[in-house]
Amino acid sequence: MNYIKSFFWLAFMGAASAVTPSERPVIRQVAADSTGVDSSRFTYTTLVSGLDEPMGMAILPDYDIVVAERKGAVRYYDNESKELKTIAQFNVFSGIEDGLLGVAADPGFKENNWIYFYYGVGGTENISHLSRFELKDGQLIQSSEKVMLKVPTQRTYCCHSAGYLTFGSDGLLYLSIGDNTNAEEIEGHNPTDERPGRHLSDDQGTTANSNDYRGKILRIRPEADGGYSIPDGNLFPKDGSLGKPEIFAMGLRNPFRVSVDPKTQYVYWGDVGPDTEIKASEGKLSYDEINQARKPGFFGYPYFLGDNEVFPKYDFETKKEGPGKDPLKPINNSPNNTGVKELPPAQPAFIWYGKVPSKKWPLVGKGGASAMAGPVYYSDLYPNAPYKLPEYYNGKLFIYEWIRKWIIAVTMDANGNYVSMEPFLPQLKVVAPMDMQIAKDGAVYLLAYGTNWFARNTDSGIIRVEYSEGNRNPVAAAKVSKTVGAAPLAVTLSAKGSKDYDPGDKLRYEWKIGEKKLNGEELKYTFTKPGIYNVVLTVTDQNGGKGSATTQVKVGNTPPAVTISSQSNKSFYWDNSSLDYQVKVQDKEDKVIDPKKLKVSFNYLAFGKDLASVLSSGEPGNLQYANTEKLYAFLDCKACHTLETKSIGPALKEISKRYTEKAGAQETLADKIIKGGSGSWGSYPMPPHADLPKKDAQEIAGYILSLGKQEENIPLTGKIALTDHVGKGTEGAYVLQAAYTDKGANGIAPIKSSSNIILRNPLIQMEDYEEGNVGVVIATLNTGYISHIANITDGKYTRFNHIDLTRIRGIKFQVQEAGAGGTIELRLDSKDGPLAGSLEVKAGKVQNPKTDWKEMTLAVQPTSGFHDLYFVYKNPTAKGALFHLDWMYFEK
């Protein structure tokens, strides 16, 4: 799994201890079953799923949660309503794994509503901001931004951004920043390339440079005016004479997750290590580290790693190695260093491990790694918390692994020295844990990134873990086979998903429908009369424990059946092609379909990657402004304007009605959006949006004006030439959508049903797979800005969901013969499903990773309809990689 660090976590993710190696206690391991803690007393609830690259979370006093997504979205989970919404969209640079990276709520949030973000600013300036905002009533006030700190960066090479934010119990704010150095062209060594023109490949100019913010943990005290002051005790003087006064710790590679001990103020972080070929005490000098800083200091990188093991001095010009630095007196003589030359003595890591099994810490496992540090738990800080962890975990540090997917509790002595480690909740399989925090009620919150990189993953989300003593309440899960339909409506009520964590408990299931009460784990029931029914399941145990769940059933109206049929391929478009279609609608209650209630539209959208959210409402028409509508929602406009009714400002439809027929209306509205103003609709002024690009303002104005237009329906049957995509790239998509809203029946409101055909470009990037177990190589200068999949070995696969193979005769691949070679098998609907074609790829060796690509075609057996496509890679005799794949193109 070497590729994991090399190509992805190089960007997201250096060593700390005030004790010397000789002072460390004897290390021992604690078996998982020796804790005396009953793991069945932990219950898990997934609060949110389907996030798009969640990077961090802030738990607010009322248990609402703010999540920062890398591509710039700020998501808000409302604990009371259990709803998730998007409250802002930052304009971020999200290349080479930069983006919106950190979020933290002020310790006094309940009184001041302050929240902090760290993000790479979109645009041409290479800079990241630490900013403070106000967050009130679930709304982020973007106009309240106070830019506290600007961090210059480089955006040429991948990677290392870090960007985590957290507060200590003393109110100090900590920000971790990665070394932001070329991590690819290191020739098996550490990045200390001092050749002219290679300053972006020299970590001595960033992490080992006292006059640079990168490769550091900063510590500041936020002030009420939106600025900050320098606390006592940072690494360098407050006057900046020896280095940036904000620096607390330096010599870090990618300090990805940081926590502060609430009692000792010791700082912990995980630092993801490099991929080198330097021999070390355990494998190669490519350790990941868990660090402990009892005081400010220099923590070794790029000169030392782990237990202060020394990197040799490598001359990138002559390709020769020389003696490394002295950990007790490291000297930075690089021409790229603008800070002090003599650095503080290097401090060794607290815990460190490489790709091979660790002799010191065997529980950490082996393979790819991304080390992270979580909180230190003290039971007396949660005196009346209902879900506080057992006393057993008092004083323990929690560490966790993004790649290896474990959480470990680390026991320390009274002085903070390492004593032992043990697994924590090994039965909880968190997919790529990204953040770990403990709320004031004692519950543990975990943020899961999910399976695939750079993607919105269904298995991403927020998991809440609760521990309870004594008798535990059952967990009720109610399932109704049908939730809407005509009377009589026969349904199956099932409580089989319910459970109780106390062994031997006997559960009783009671269903309440109106005044009727029924008993049984699963039963049949028929609603004979129209109406809206709340179905309440109550599950009880013999000790008085009780859990409930509610669902709703609407009886009296059958959802319309809307179908779109076509003889064409229903997944892709090609040049000089067309789409035939036929729309049919049936409704049991309406009998005769009202054409006024039927809308059929066809649009070409210049974007195509987020169609699921665009189409979720089932509303055809106006799709050309779907992304603009989302942009509008991210701004502060919704605080004053609603769609239909007057708020502080006029309704959007009223604005549209006033301006639609006026010449230059779009330009006029765009100008008002940017400059603000008052008097047109009342005395309340509209705030300006001076930072909004004119193009975005014009698109928003166009969206508002479109609300007053009635889009014409297209015929129910037809044939459409597909020409709008020509010359517009590969991201666009055609959308044929039909929706019918019935008249309602028997007291049940009208129901809308819809259907659609989405045609996208037949060129699909292989790294966009839905599921698989290969690696992703990101696009950088070193790869010719080509991203592709790698680490393809025998038996691995990638899956692409719901693709129509009708009239597809072949799939063309861009292949790099970079290994033993093998076979690409196309299988339908499972890894072992029917074989629909195969392609042999020869063995080869890459000379130039930018250009050594060739096109090869897999012939597809005649197949019709939609299938999940599994590309299975085979070569039973090969021990290593087979080849690389960049993209595939479906040929008709």
Side-chain angles (χ1 to χ4, degrees), residues 510-528:
E510 180 185 84
W511 300 86
K512 184 179 179 182
I513 305 172
E515 297 301 320
K516 295 182 179 180
K517 293 183 179 180
L518 308 166
N519 294 298
E521 184 178 16
E522 185 172 279
L523 50 89
K524 304 286 186 181
Y525 183 80
T526 299
F527 295 88
T528 59

Side-chain angles (χ1 to χ4, degrees), residues 545-587:
K546 181 184 295 184
S548 63
T550 303
T551 189
Q552 198 172 71
V553 178
K554 298 178 180 180
V555 182
N557 191 15
T558 307
V562 181
T563 60
I564 305 175
S565 60
S566 175
Q567 299 301 311
S568 304
N569 183 278
K570 294 185 283 295
S571 286
F572 304 112
Y573 63 80
W574 293 267
D575 292 347
N576 304 313
S577 62
S578 62
L579 173 69
D580 67 272
Y581 70 93
Q582 184 177 18
V583 177
K584 293 183 178 181
V585 180
Q586 293 179 311
D587 187 87

